[in-house]
């Protein structure tokens, strides 16, 4: 989905701006994207400790994952449109500040509700940074370098799950679960400095007409769908879960139909009509779903099930 947002901003070759050091321009976004994925995969290790610290169930602690993904799911579809209204640099700085503030809030929170609130704020930052990175790549790099640049971006993102669980385990063992959020805040500050110093706004703000109905449908549809799917594990197919899933599916279907029939869509879904884009997008989606599932289930089994 993040890459489909990027396709809305891909310039033609003749108006491609040239940057002398494109990777330097992208450094803040690279760090921000890495931080988003690091946060997504590191937190799973800390869930058992959160259960013990606040006396909550595993199902309640799971909201640290669900809330984060919910925030991303709500924000991400709107980023392509936001980039047409707000300068990319301003939007990225806002996202990184959100991540830093959310991390600091979670690190200092005396109750679980505030830890979760900080986690959701982090999700807002990640939901903005990831698609913006791909949109910026299409502008910052010349056409012959875009493939390699996407490879670098993928490497940066997928490096986080490699070190995240181990790093968080070390921090919890040496300090506590709060140290993970302190690390997030420090890395976010580094990303803010790099973005402020090097990032150049590569996306033109055209300020098209805002389709409020699409924005509302996006928030309700994706929010209900993510929440419904996430709650199945804890509540089964209860009345609430079924209602959330039905509302989510219906509203997302309406949202998709509307994006295909208005002049200024919030998210240009016509990219999915291109087989060479649709097929790899589905493959990446399935692969990423498996990765996230294993990264959540494995720590729970190892720590709670086997006592490791």
């Amino acid at each position: 989905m993040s890459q489909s947002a990027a396709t809305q901003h891909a310039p033609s070759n003749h108006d491609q701006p040239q940057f002398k050091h494109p990777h330097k321009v992208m450094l803040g976004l690279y760090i921000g994207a890495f931080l988003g994925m690091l946060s997504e995969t590191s937190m799973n290790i800390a869930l058992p400790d959160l259960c013990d610290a606040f006396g909550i169930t595993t199902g309640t602690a799971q909201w640290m994952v669900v809330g984060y993904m919910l925030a991303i799911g709500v924000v991400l579809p709107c980023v392509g449109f936001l980039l047409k209204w707000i300068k990319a640099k301003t939007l990225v700085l806002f996202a990184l500040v959100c991540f830093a503030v959310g991390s600091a809030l979670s690190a200092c929170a005396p109750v679980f509700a505030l830890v979760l609130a900080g986690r959701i704020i982090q999700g807002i930052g990640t939901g903005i940074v990831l698609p913006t990175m791909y949109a910026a790549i299409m502008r910052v790099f010349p056409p012959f370098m875009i493939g390699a640049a996407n490879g670098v971006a993928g490497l940066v993102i997928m490096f986080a799950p490699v070190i995240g669980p181990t790093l968080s385990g070390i921090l919890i063992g040496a300090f506590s679960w709060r140290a993970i959020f302190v690390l997030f805040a420090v890395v976010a500050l580094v990303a803010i400095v790099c973005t402020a110093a090097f990032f150049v706004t590569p996306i033109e703000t055209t300020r098209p007409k805002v389709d409020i109905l699409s924005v509302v449908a996006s928030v309700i549809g994706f929010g209900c769908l993510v929440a419904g799917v996430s709650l199945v594990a804890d509540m089964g197919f209860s009345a609430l879960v079924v209602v959330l899933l039905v509302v989510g599916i219906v509203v997302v279907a309406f949202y998709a139909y509307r994006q295909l029939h208005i002049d200024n869509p919030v998210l240009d879904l016509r990219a999915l009509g291109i087989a060479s884009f649709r097929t790899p997008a589905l493959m990446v989606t399935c692969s990423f779903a498996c990765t996230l599932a294993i990264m959540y289930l494995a720590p729970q089994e190892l720590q709670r099930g086997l006592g490791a």
Side-chain angles (χ1 to χ4, degrees), residues 22-31 133 136-137 140-141 199:
H23 286 295
K24 184 177 179 181
V25 172
M26 295 291 298
L27 183 58
L29 274 172
Y30 286 159
I31 296 175
M133 178 179 67
I137 285 173
V140 170
F141 291 87
F199 188 60

Side-chain angles (χ1 to χ4, degrees), residues 3-105:
Q3 291 202 38
S4 66
T7 61
Q8 297 185 45
H9 309 284
S12 59
N13 291 352
H14 68 273
D15 61 359
Q16 179 82 31
Q18 299 297 318
F19 295 92
K20 189 173 182 180
H21 301 289
H23 286 295
K24 184 177 179 181
V25 172
M26 295 291 298
L27 183 58
L29 274 172
Y30 286 159
I31 296 175
F34 168 80
L35 178 60
M37 287 304 302
L38 182 67
S39 174
E40 194 163 318
T41 55
S42 297
M43 188 47 53
N44 298 327
I45 306 298
L47 295 183
D49 292 83
L50 287 171
C51 292
D52 296 337
F54 295 106
I56 56 177
T57 65
T58 302
T60 301
Q62 181 187 349
W63 274 99
M64 292 293 288
V65 178
V66 175
Y68 187 75
M69 296 300 295
L70 185 60
I72 294 175
V74 169
V75 172
L76 192 145
C78 300
V79 173
F81 195 80
L82 288 173
L83 286 170
K84 297 178 182 178
W85 272 87
I86 304 171
K87 287 185 177 181
K89 186 171 185 176
T90 302
L91 192 62
V92 172
L93 287 172
F94 169 77
L96 294 172
V97 168
C98 280
F99 207 103
V101 170
S103 300
L105 176 61

Side-chain angles (χ1 to χ4, degrees), residues 203-230:
I203 301 169
E204 182 183 0
T205 51
T206 57
R207 297 182 180 274
K209 181 181 177 182
V210 179
D211 184 41
I212 300 298
L213 185 58
S214 291
V215 174
V216 173
S218 173
V219 171
I220 295 175
F222 289 107
C224 288
L225 197 57
V226 172
V229 171
S230 301

Side-chain angles (χ1 to χ4, degrees), residues 18-303:
Q18 299 297 318
F19 295 92
K20 189 173 182 180
H21 301 289
H23 286 295
K24 184 177 179 181
V25 172
M26 295 291 298
L27 183 58
L29 274 172
Y30 286 159
I31 296 175
F34 168 80
L35 178 60
M37 287 304 302
L38 182 67
S39 174
E40 194 163 318
T41 55
S42 297
M43 188 47 53
N44 298 327
I45 306 298
L47 295 183
D49 292 83
L50 287 171
C51 292
D52 296 337
F54 295 106
I56 56 177
T57 65
T58 302
T60 301
Q62 181 187 349
W63 274 99
M64 292 293 288
V65 178
V66 175
Y68 187 75
M69 296 300 295
L70 185 60
I72 294 175
V74 169
V75 172
L76 192 145
C78 300
V79 173
F81 195 80
L82 288 173
L83 286 170
K84 297 178 182 178
W85 272 87
I86 304 171
K87 287 185 177 181
K89 186 171 185 176
T90 302
L91 192 62
V92 172
L93 287 172
F94 169 77
L96 294 172
V97 168
C98 280
F99 207 103
V101 170
S103 300
L105 176 61
S106 294
C108 302
V111 295
F112 178 73
L114 289 179
V115 179
L116 179 58
R119 183 71 172 155
I120 292 173
I121 295 172
Q122 291 175 39
I124 294 173
T126 300
I128 293 174
V129 166
L130 286 176
T132 303
M133 178 179 67
Y134 285 107
I137 285 173
M138 303 299 290
R139 292 280 186 175
V140 170
F141 291 87
F144 69 92
M145 291 183 64
I146 288 177
N150 277 318
V152 171
L155 180 64
V156 168
I157 290 175
M158 295 313 297
F159 181 61
V162 174
I163 68 169
T166 302
L167 181 59
S168 62
I170 292 172
L171 289 173
I172 292 173
F175 304 101
S176 75
W177 59 267
R178 295 183 187 274
I180 300 176
F181 291 106
V182 173
L183 173 66
F184 294 162
V186 171
V187 177
L189 290 175
V190 173
I192 289 171
V193 171
C194 291
T195 300
F198 305 127
F199 188 60
V200 178
T201 302
I203 301 169
E204 182 183 0
T205 51
T206 57
R207 297 182 180 274
K209 181 181 177 182
V210 179
D211 184 41
I212 300 298
L213 185 58
S214 291
V215 174
V216 173
S218 173
V219 171
I220 295 175
F222 289 107
C224 288
L225 197 57
V226 172
V229 171
S230 301
L231 288 173
V232 169
D234 195 39
M235 301 176 62
F237 286 98
S238 63
L240 174 61
V241 171
V242 171
V243 169
L244 286 172
L245 289 174
V246 170
V247 171
I249 291 171
V250 171
V251 176
V252 167
F254 166 76
Y255 171 82
Y257 177 84
R258 187 163 181 83
Q259 302 319 293
L260 295 172
H261 292 84
I262 59 177
D263 294 332
N264 296 301
V266 173
L267 185 66
D268 192 352
L269 298 179
R270 289 171 294 184
L272 294 174
I274 304 171
S276 59
F277 175 83
R278 180 178 62 250
T279 301
L282 290 173
M283 292 170 63
V284 169
T285 299
C286 293
S287 173
F288 200 60
C290 293
T291 300
L292 292 180
I294 292 297
M295 292 238 168
Y296 172 74
L297 294 173
Q300 300 302 310
E301 173 62 16
L302 288 169
Q303 295 182 70

